[in-house]
Amino acid sequence: SDAPPPGGERSGAQQGRLSVGSVYRPNQNGRGLPDLVPDPNYVQASTYVQRAHLYSLRCAAEEKCLASTAYTPEATDYDVRVLLRFPQRVKNQGTADFLPNRPRHTWEWHSCHQHYHSMDEFSHYDLLDAATGKKVAEGHKASFCLEDSTCDFGNLKRYACTSHTQGLSPGCYDTYNADIDCQWI
């Protein structure tokens, strides 16, 4: 385990060691955690509804981003799905890096989208009935590509969408536009 021993301090030999697949990297003094916070205003600014035929959603189907009814034997390429599309911007407001939870050699290449997935799922989305609070629809976002899309002043981008380095630095945002696959309910 890469967690600091009780008391929070690491020995000099442990300092800087990190097994590939940890979800955080402690800062210089061995303390701190990432703290991922979604931006609700960003979601509200660009949400829209789209109707799409299943044949245009094949890549998303490969990534299991569609409702279970899209995978039944009765489903055809001409069936229409109604998608609530929205952007997402997540900030790491913590004091440590957020890193993929899978070792790099297990990241999956998705030829349809031309990128590596470094996590099985990054977010879950639920659409709730305002009157009852009951879930009426759901979605999930696989890790499209963890990266420092933008950073607050004074913070430098350190992670990019590559096969070698993905993550989210403190003070930085990972942004997904509403028009990419799986960014929907």
Side-chain angles (χ1 to χ4, degrees), residues 60-75:
E62 281 183 20
E63 296 183 19
K64 307 288 188 264
C65 293
L66 302 175
S68 59
T69 55
Y71 301 100
T72 64
E74 298 81 31

Side-chain angles (χ1 to χ4, degrees), residues 97 146-161 165-175:
D97 297 341
L146 289 174
E147 69 177 345
D148 295 333
S149 301
T150 56
C151 298
D152 289 338
F153 182 77
N155 295 289
L156 299 175
K157 292 182 182 183
R158 293 185 293 133
Y159 295 103
C161 184
T165 173
Q166 290 188 27
L168 187 55
S169 303
C172 295
Y173 301 83
D174 189 10
T175 304

Side-chain angles (χ1 to χ4, degrees), residues 8-23:
E9 299 300 319
R10 292 174 175 247
S11 69
Q14 289 178 315
Q15 197 76 2
R17 256 187 22 193
L18 178 73
S19 71
V20 176
S22 294
V23 293

Side-chain angles (χ1 to χ4, degrees), residues 63-135:
E63 296 183 19
K64 307 288 188 264
C65 293
L66 302 175
S68 59
T69 55
Y71 301 100
T72 64
E74 298 81 31
T76 71
D77 277 350
Y78 297 101
D79 288 350
V80 173
R81 311 308 290 184
V82 178
L83 308 174
L84 177 64
R85 288 184 164 275
F86 52 91
Q88 175 178 279
R89 181 169 68 176
V90 176
K91 180 180 184 182
N92 181 357
Q93 68 179 25
T95 57
D97 297 341
F98 177 80
L99 300 173
N101 61 352
R102 290 177 32 201
R104 191 172 30 230
H105 71 276
T106 66
W107 293 0
E108 292 179 48
W109 174 254
H110 285 267
S111 58
C112 236
H113 291 132
Q114 299 291 301
H115 62 257
Y116 282 93
H117 280 206
S118 57
M119 300 177 75
D120 292 328
E121 293 179 334
F122 182 69
S123 301
H124 281 271
Y125 308 126
D126 293 333
L127 183 62
L128 307 177
D129 181 300
T132 65
K134 183 178 177 180
K135 180 169 51 172

